[in-house]
């Protein structure tokens, strides 16, 4: 719990807004008595970052279930839907541009290891 006993504001629970579109996250935060904010205090206001892009809340601080004073800021990091989705990128890697890029310049060398070679390596 916050330890500033000079404030007269009520305590509120921090809602979970991760995964929500910005406008929906803002409604949820306002209903809880909080304001969304840019995590970079020197950066532009969060509304300016979110309005042009169809932004989704990627993470938040403090975590859901934390306690803040009413009208405090809930810092959110945004992800634009125009950015690549890393999960999709990992599941389906892009194909090669052409077959020439898939063939090494030098042919692969096959090296047969004998038990003597392995013994020499472990002795070193």
């Amino acid at each position: 719990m916050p330890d500033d006993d000079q404030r007269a504001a009520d305590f509120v629970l921090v809602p979970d807004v991760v995964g929500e579109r910005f406008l929906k996250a803002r409604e949820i935060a306002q209903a809880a008595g909080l304001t969304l904010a840019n995590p970079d205090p020197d950066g532009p206001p969060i509304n300016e970052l979110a309005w042009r892009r169809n932004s989704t809340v990627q993470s938040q601080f403090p975590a859901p279930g934390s306690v803040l004073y009413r009208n405090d800021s809930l810092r959110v990091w945004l992800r634009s839907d125009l950015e690549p989705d890393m999960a999709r990128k990992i599941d389906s890697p892009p194909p090669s541009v052409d077959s020439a890029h898939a063939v090494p310049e030098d042919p692969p060398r096959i090296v047969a290891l004998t038990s003597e070679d392995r013994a020499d390596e472990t002795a070193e």
Side-chain angles (χ1 to χ4, degrees):
M1 268 214 235
D3 58 353
D4 181 6
D5 36 28
Q6 298 298 319
R7 294 184 63 182
D10 297 334
F11 291 120
V12 296
L13 283 176
V14 174
D16 186 2
V17 296
V18 174
E20 299 289 345
R21 300 275 185 207
F22 176 76
L23 293 175
K24 178 69 174 173
R26 187 173 66 181
E27 287 176 18
I28 293 169
Q30 287 175 343
L34 299 172
T35 303
L36 295 184
N38 185 349
D40 179 4
D42 296 328
I46 193 75
N47 290 332
E48 186 177 323
L49 293 174
W51 79 272
R52 276 187 254 150
R53 303 175 191 154
N54 195 11
S55 300
T56 302
V57 176
Q58 180 175 327
S59 61
Q60 71 179 61
F61 183 82
S66 300
V67 177
L68 289 176
Y69 286 105
R70 183 170 303 281
N71 301 319
D72 272 354
S73 295
L74 173 60
R75 293 183 286 170
V76 293
W77 285 259
L78 302 174
R79 178 183 66 84
S80 171
D81 287 346
L82 301 175
E83 295 171 1
D85 182 0
M86 292 308 290
R88 189 172 351 115
K89 195 173 194 179
I90 291 170
D91 289 341
S92 56
S96 297
V97 175
D98 59 29
S99 60
H101 288 93
V103 178
E105 292 179 17
D106 297 328
R109 296 183 310 162
I110 299 174
V111 178
L113 293 177
T114 63
S115 59
E116 292 174 1
D117 294 333
R118 291 184 184 151
D120 290 341
E121 288 176 7
T122 56
E124 292 177 0

